[in-house]
Amino acid sequence: MRTRFAPSPTGFLHVGGLRTALYAYLIAKQTGGEFILRIEDTDKERHVEGAIENILHTLNWAGLHPDEGVMMRRGVIVQKGDKGPYIQSERLKIYRQYAEKLLESGHAYYAFDTKEEIEQMRCEQQQAGVVSPKYDASVRMKMKNALTLSKEDVQARLEAKKPYVIRMKVNPDQIITFQDDIRGQCTFQGHEIDDQVLLKSDGFPTYHLAHVVDDHLMDTGLVLRGEEWLSSLPKHLLLFQYFGWKEPRYAHVPLLLNKDRTKLSKRQNDVDVNHYIQKGYLSKVMVNFLALLGWNPGTTQEIFTLDELIESFSLDRVQKAGAVFDTEKLDWLQGQWIRKMDKEEFTQRVIAALPEPIKSSIHIPEVTAQASLIQDRITFFSEIPEMLSFFYEEPRVTVDLLANKKQKITQKQLPMILDALIRTLTEVKEKQWNENTLKEKLFALAEEKKLKSGQLLWPLRAALTGLPYSPGAFEVAVVLGKEKTLARLRAARATLLESLPMC
Ligand code: GLU
């Protein structure tokens, strides 16, 4: 099945756009077809410099490499395939040629109305109680077009280069039914459809003409696009009919929603994929997350690689209702993917995230051990420098941190607790400095002192890290080693003495 993604270069790639691209990619790959990338730049006013590059970079980041159409090769935009050009502004002659075919067959007509005349028509319809005014069969005979002007007049206007548009002619009595791959059966009434402009006065096609011509000539099997295009579908189906072409399959994907179920908006969420890249989300996470926005795999599986998605994705499990963009789920998935990461790869990521002076003096076995402490705890790689800071600099320990109400540790108990920890840990032999021995010794100590284990472990962990949250006391002590562990406990004891001179 040939599918395509057809973004307009009007800015960054929207998360909804990336989801549409992903679904189209998955269908192409699972059916052994091609994934085509077409650039729809027919709206000159909304064109943004650098947007094509940005969109292509973002698709590459996500691993959605087009087989055909517009793509990036060594940083340069290129087009590949025998059905091009794939950039609409390079296809203007083709659109004109096809618009002219519709003129010849009587399915389209020239219209010369000025902006003011169109505005006047709207006002009159509104005054007459029409809810959504449009240029259609009810008004076309009152307007300035090839249906009302004489042939000579039309010819004279064209020769005098008077501005004109080409409109499609819609029969208001027509009923159009269609089977959408997601929405099911859709029925449209001809009288709801306007005589849509197909070719604008600047010679550029509208989306409607360009879509139909391109998807026919590019041999698209399935058009996957946002739900906002569903209401235009009857125009497209009519155009296919007018040309005598077989229409492709269509699947209109549901809207993305904010938590309050309003349409996903910048005000409540970031909608630019770049924002998520900069925040440090893994591309695999974004792909996994977007796939599940609207698609239900029908099993309890939630973690999917791109290959697994190619295997399992199907349009009949895409819901019609909008899908809530749940950033908590996104963070959860990011955590899951980090946990799954190969240890070596994760260590490399840790090294990359450490600040420069540390990076150049690290020892791989040490950093591997440190990395293993945090792989289950982080969501973003940007958390790494802070999370591992206590390995590289002396922790700043305060009495407030050492004591802890929740763990029922009073400031008064602290000298006794720290002394006991120092004494017990000094006795552990260097060779036996491992989690099992430390656990055994400290649990025995807690029993002896009639303390809860937390009353020993909290101050130990706090003294070693200086942080309210960190990996657990045993793990940290093992990675720090006996010497550093005891030195930090003694330092904490000294801090305590300074702050509580009465102890
Ligand atoms: N250029 C259109 C958009 O960005 C594409 C819709 C389509 O896929 O046909 O919304």
Side-chain angles (χ1 to χ4, degrees):
M1 176 77 71
R2 283 167 68 83
T3 65
R4 86 308 188 263
F5 180 52
S8 301
T10 52
F12 54 80
L13 184 58
H14 190 281
V15 283
L18 183 55
R19 183 191 54 169
T20 306
L22 172 63
Y23 286 5
Y25 175 87
L26 295 176
I27 297 281
K29 295 291 140 181
Q30 69 180 203
T31 53
E34 290 84 32
F35 173 57
I36 307 162
L37 196 107
R38 180 170 76 226
I39 294 294
E40 302 209 324
D41 58 344
T42 55
D43 193 342
K44 285 188 292 187
E45 267 146 47
R46 295 184 58 217
H47 191 109
V48 170
E49 207 49 50
I52 301 182
E53 288 84 345
N54 187 282
I55 291 168
L56 295 177
H57 272 306
T58 312
L59 288 173
N60 278 349
W61 171 80
L64 309 183
H65 306 291
D67 302 301
E68 189 178 318
V70 185
M71 54 191 83
M72 217 42 151
R73 286 274 161 83
R74 296 193 195 93
V76 183
I77 298 175
V78 296
Q79 298 189 48
K80 182 186 151 198
D82 57 3
K83 297 191 169 14
Y86 296 87
I87 297 179
Q88 287 185 332
S89 59
E90 297 173 15
R91 301 172 61 79
L92 300 185
K93 269 200 194 137
I94 303 178
Y95 304 124
R96 174 166 296 278
Q97 187 190 327
Y98 281 97
E100 280 169 5
K101 276 189 197 252
L102 293 180
L103 290 172
E104 279 162 30
S105 62
H107 289 302
Y109 57 90
Y110 289 112
F112 299 93
D113 315 274
T114 61
K115 257 193 192 151
E116 293 70 29
E117 284 161 341
I118 298 271
E119 200 37 50
Q120 165 95 14
M121 169 209 88
R122 288 227 158 94
C123 279
E124 282 170 16
Q125 286 195 28
Q126 260 159 356
Q127 277 159 9
V130 178
V131 187
S132 42
K134 50 181 147 351
Y135 199 119
D136 62 4
S138 68
V139 293
R140 68 165 81 106
M141 297 317 285
K142 292 184 233 154
M143 304 300 288
K144 210 175 278 162
N145 56 46
L147 305 173
T148 56
L149 302 171
S150 69
K151 257 196 183 153
E152 296 69 37
D153 193 350
V154 170
Q155 203 48 42
R157 283 168 189 268
L158 293 176
E159 272 159 25
K161 303 226 172 317
K162 295 265 187 236
Y164 67 83
V165 297
I166 295 179
R167 287 182 180 273
M168 70 187 281
K169 196 170 161 200
V170 178
N171 172 0
D173 301 324
Q174 197 150 5
I175 293 176
I176 302 144
T177 39
F178 187 74
Q179 200 68 24
D180 182 272
D181 280 5
I182 295 175
R183 319 288 312 182
Q185 177 148 319
C186 305
T187 303
F188 308 91
Q189 312 283 339
H191 64 82
E192 293 166 353
I193 309 166
D194 62 336
D195 282 0
Q196 176 67 52
V197 172
L198 298 177
L199 204 71
K200 297 182 277 187
S201 53
D202 61 3
F204 274 64
T206 55
Y207 165 76
H208 312 280
L209 177 65
H211 149 53
V212 170
V213 169
D214 289 351
D215 281 315
H216 171 73
L217 297 179
M218 294 177 189
D219 204 12
T220 304
L222 169 72
V223 172
L224 248 149
R225 61 184 179 189
E227 192 187 271
E228 65 275 20
W229 294 111
L230 185 62
S231 58
S232 305
L233 178 60
K235 291 175 194 170
H236 307 152
L237 295 172
L238 282 179
L239 286 173
F240 276 104
Q241 244 182 53
Y242 294 170
F243 283 120
W245 297 334
K246 182 175 166 14
E247 74 271 346
R249 274 165 56 188
Y250 282 89
H252 290 87
V253 296
L255 284 180
L256 294 183
L257 306 176
N258 295 311
K259 262 198 159 159
D260 62 8
R261 302 200 72 82
T262 53
K263 188 175 160 200
L264 189 71
S265 65
K266 266 195 212 162
R267 253 185 318 118
Q268 293 190 40
N269 276 289
D270 286 292
V271 292
D272 174 357
V273 180
N274 284 309
H275 164 86
Y276 296 90
I277 301 178
Q278 273 150 22
K279 264 197 100 181
Y281 287 97
L282 297 167
S283 58
K284 292 170 183 175
V285 172
M286 211 59 200
V287 163
N288 190 163
F289 174 68
L290 291 175
L292 294 174
L293 276 184
W295 171 67
N296 175 354
T299 62
T300 50
Q301 183 176 354
E302 295 204 82
I303 311 295
F304 287 89
T305 60
L306 194 55
D307 282 343
E308 286 169 334
L309 288 171
I310 294 172
E311 223 11 50
S312 328
F313 182 77
S314 74
L315 284 176
D316 52 13
R317 290 200 154 273
V318 174
Q319 70 198 31
K320 286 188 205 134
V324 175
F325 194 85
D326 178 359
T327 48
E328 279 163 30
K329 172 85 178 268
L330 176 61
D331 288 355
W332 177 81
L333 279 173
Q334 167 95 350
Q336 297 301 309
W337 273 98
I338 290 183
R339 317 284 172 268
K340 261 172 71 95
M341 205 177 252
D342 171 84
K343 288 219 169 346
E344 228 164 89
E345 186 188 348
F346 183 71
T347 304
Q348 287 309 320
R349 294 271 194 166
V350 168
I351 295 171
L354 288 170
E356 200 37 71
I358 298 176
K359 208 185 286 190
S360 36
S361 62
I362 48 138
H363 298 285
I364 297 289
E366 255 173 45
V367 87
T368 306
Q370 294 166 6
S372 70
L373 294 192
I374 58 169
Q375 189 164 2
D376 284 354
R377 289 185 167 82
I378 63 164
T379 306
F380 295 108
F381 295 111
S382 56
E383 295 166 39
I384 290 172
E386 161 129 29
M387 271 205 139
L388 293 184
S389 63
F390 63 87
F391 282 114
Y392 299 99
E393 51 195 57
E394 291 308 314
R396 248 172 287 131
V397 179
T398 62
V399 178
D400 281 346
L401 179 69
L402 290 166
N404 182 302
K405 258 202 193 141
K406 231 168 116 197
Q407 302 286 354
K408 300 207 170 51
I409 305 160
T410 63
Q411 292 196 356
K412 252 180 135 179
Q413 287 172 300
L414 281 176
M416 178 274 284
I417 293 175
L418 289 179
D419 286 343
L421 282 168
I422 293 170
R423 211 174 331 106
T424 309
L425 293 178
T426 307
E427 283 164 16
V428 179
K429 294 210 175 72
E430 194 87 50
K431 263 203 218 141
Q432 289 176 326
W433 193 264
N434 57 46
E435 262 190 75
N436 282 345
T437 317
L438 296 185
K439 274 185 187 159
E440 190 189 305
K441 300 280 180 205
L442 294 190
F443 288 147
L445 176 65
E447 224 177 285
E448 177 199 321
K449 298 278 178 198
K450 306 224 170 331
L451 293 170
K452 291 220 172 71
S453 56
Q455 288 174 301
L456 277 184
L457 299 183
W458 176 277
L460 172 60
R461 201 196 52 75
L464 299 186
T465 66
L467 298 171
Y469 303 102
S470 75
F474 294 119
E475 298 163 272
V476 173
V478 169
V479 177
L480 273 176
K482 178 173 175 181
E483 199 182 315
K484 270 200 180 148
T485 300
L486 283 167
R488 287 189 181 185
L489 279 168
R490 288 193 196 102
R493 180 73 175 94
T495 307
L496 201 61
L497 274 176
E498 277 163 31
S499 334
L500 306 170
M502 302 306 289
C503 303

